[in-house]
């Protein structure tokens, strides 16, 4: 059993197709199959079940896949840290996050970090949900994830950084625009602009509202908070969103943000596989982002 056998096997489990793995690794399909057969021969168990549309792991295959994927991920992380030690302050920091995160939470920190470490490569990977960020971390495709803090996720460490109060975004001509605050119970019956169902922010919000049944009134849905506020400013509905850093009322004269003090704030922050395994540049970038958050 070799490390290459395990890498190929993990790739086959995740792709579900040996031909796709062969293309990705630029090898023949017979070579890919040979890696799997070698593992099966050594373990005395069938690991992949061949089906008409590809392959799926057997029970034994699932056990090996979980262990191998985690072990390979930790090994790759260690190798990157060793390269960082060899190369000093250079290297790569891979960040997975939502589409609007850099604008609202990282802009100043990116500038400060870049000035101190001009040779470090910052690689941003945009995802549409915290769940996708967790998946990228688990697959060793990112070092850091900026996420909505959620229930514990196996193999992932979460650190809250900010708590964002909720506000109701409405057009300035909306009947509620003159309010100084609004109670959560008053949200029922409004026409909401909704986030996707797999959004951690939406799950948090629906869990706090007594009547998340405002959904039948929804005629607009969006993938991010910025777009929700933009549409509210166009009078396309109302949006319950976190009060994002950097949003200035003077810059959006058609929009009113009404506090909803009765809703518990939304926590956002960092997620990683293991804090003490982060490279020095990745750890410093995470700390720089935290240091630049507005109180």
């Amino acid at each position: 059993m070799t490390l290459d056998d395990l890498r190929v096997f993990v790739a086959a489990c995740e792709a579900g197709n040996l031909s796709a793995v062969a293309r990705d690794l630029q090898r023949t399909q017979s070579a890919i199959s040979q890696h799997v057969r070698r593992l099966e021969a050594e373990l005395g168990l069938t690991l992949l079940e061949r089906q008409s549309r590809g392959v799926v792991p057997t029970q034994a295959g699932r056990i090996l896949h979980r262990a191998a994927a985690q072990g390979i991920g930790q090994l790759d992380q260690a190798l990157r840290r060793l390269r960082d030690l060899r190369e000093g302050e250079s290297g790569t920091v891979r960040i997975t996050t939502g589409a609007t995160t850099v604008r609202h939470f990282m802009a100043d920190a990116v500038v400060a970090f870049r000035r101190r470490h001009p040779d470090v490569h910052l690689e941003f990977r945009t995802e549409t949900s915290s769940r996708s960020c967790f998946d990228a971390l688990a697959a060793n495709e990112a070092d850091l994830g900026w996420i909505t803090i959620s229930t514990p996720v196996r193999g992932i460490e979460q650190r809250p950084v900010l708590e964002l109060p909720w506000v109701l975004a409405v057009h300035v001509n909306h009947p509620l625009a003159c309010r100084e605050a609004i109670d959560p119970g008053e949200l029922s019956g409004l026409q909401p602009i909704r986030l996707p169902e797999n959004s951690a922010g939406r799950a948090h919000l629906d869990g706090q509202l007594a009547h998340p049944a405002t959904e039948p009134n929804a005629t607009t849905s969006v993938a991010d908070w910025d777009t929700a506020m933009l549409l509210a400013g166009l009078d396309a509905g109302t949006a319950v969103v976190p009060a994002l850093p950097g949003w200035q009322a003077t810059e959006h004269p058609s929009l009113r943000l009404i506090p909803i003090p009765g809703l518990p704030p939304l926590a956002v922050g960092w997620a990683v596989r293991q804090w003490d395994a982060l490279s020095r540049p990745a750890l410093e970038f995470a700390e720089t982002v935290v240091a630049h958050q507005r109180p």
Side-chain angles (χ1 to χ4, degrees):
M1 183 186 301
T2 67
L3 182 59
D4 199 30
D5 291 336
L6 293 172
R7 287 187 185 277
V8 169
F9 173 70
V10 168
C13 289
E14 294 174 355
N17 188 290
L18 297 183
S19 297
V21 175
R23 287 194 301 271
D24 290 343
L25 299 180
Q26 297 182 332
R27 305 182 192 181
T28 65
Q29 184 170 337
S30 61
I32 298 300
S33 297
Q34 184 177 0
H35 284 288
V36 177
R37 285 197 297 269
R38 184 157 50 228
L39 287 172
E40 292 179 328
E42 181 165 343
L43 296 171
L45 293 165
T46 300
L47 300 174
L48 292 179
E49 180 181 344
R50 278 70 174 176
Q51 298 182 345
S52 58
R53 295 186 177 181
V55 295
V56 295
T58 62
Q59 180 182 9
R62 290 193 296 273
I63 293 172
L64 181 61
H65 173 235
R66 285 194 295 270
Q70 183 176 13
I72 289 172
Q74 292 176 343
L75 177 60
D76 287 342
Q77 190 174 34
L79 292 174
R80 282 198 307 277
R81 291 197 65 188
L82 292 174
R83 285 194 294 270
D84 290 337
L85 288 174
R86 183 186 64 211
E87 297 169 5
E89 294 300 317
S90 64
T92 298
V93 179
R94 305 171 301 164
I95 306 104
T96 178
T97 186
T100 64
T101 296
V102 175
R103 179 186 307 121
H104 291 296
F105 301 100
M106 297 185 186
D108 294 340
V110 168
V111 173
F113 183 84
R114 176 60 62 226
R115 287 172 178 168
R116 289 198 304 271
H117 303 285
D119 296 328
V120 174
H121 178 63
L122 295 179
E123 179 182 307
F124 290 92
R125 169 176 172 157
T126 301
E127 298 289 356
T128 58
S129 68
S130 294
R131 178 70 264 175
S132 297
C133 292
F134 292 141
D135 290 343
L137 289 168
N140 196 34
E141 296 170 350
D143 306 305
L144 297 162
W146 184 267
I147 49 93
T148 298
I149 301 299
S150 67
T151 55
V153 177
R154 184 176 180 180
I156 301 293
E157 297 180 25
Q158 301 180 55
R159 286 194 179 182
V161 175
L162 280 179
E163 287 193 338
L164 306 175
W166 291 95
V167 296
L168 177 67
V170 300
H171 189 269
V172 290
N173 294 330
H174 192 279
L176 295 174
C178 61
R179 296 283 295 274
E180 294 299 320
I182 189 168
D183 187 84
E186 298 178 84
L187 300 175
S188 179
L190 297 179
Q191 185 180 50
I193 299 168
R194 301 290 278 173
L195 289 174
E197 290 189 12
N198 64 344
S199 161
R202 173 170 168 176
H204 175 93
L205 180 62
D206 285 350
Q208 300 297 330
L209 292 175
H211 303 285
T214 53
E215 176 68 20
N217 297 326
T219 58
T220 308
S221 60
V222 297
D224 60 80
W225 297 323
D226 267 359
T227 305
M229 286 197 271
L230 174 64
L231 291 174
L234 296 174
D235 205 15
T238 63
V240 179
V241 293
L244 297 173
W247 266 85
Q248 301 295 330
T250 55
E251 297 176 3
H252 305 276
S254 65
L255 189 68
R256 279 277 288 121
L257 301 180
I258 308 168
I260 314 173
L263 286 180
L266 183 72
V268 296
W270 286 119
V272 301
R273 289 184 302 281
Q274 191 175 349
W275 278 101
D276 58 12
L278 285 176
S279 68
R280 183 167 59 180
L283 183 59
E284 185 167 343
F285 180 79
E287 293 172 344
T288 301
V289 170
V290 173
H292 279 79
Q293 298 309 309
R294 298 182 181 91

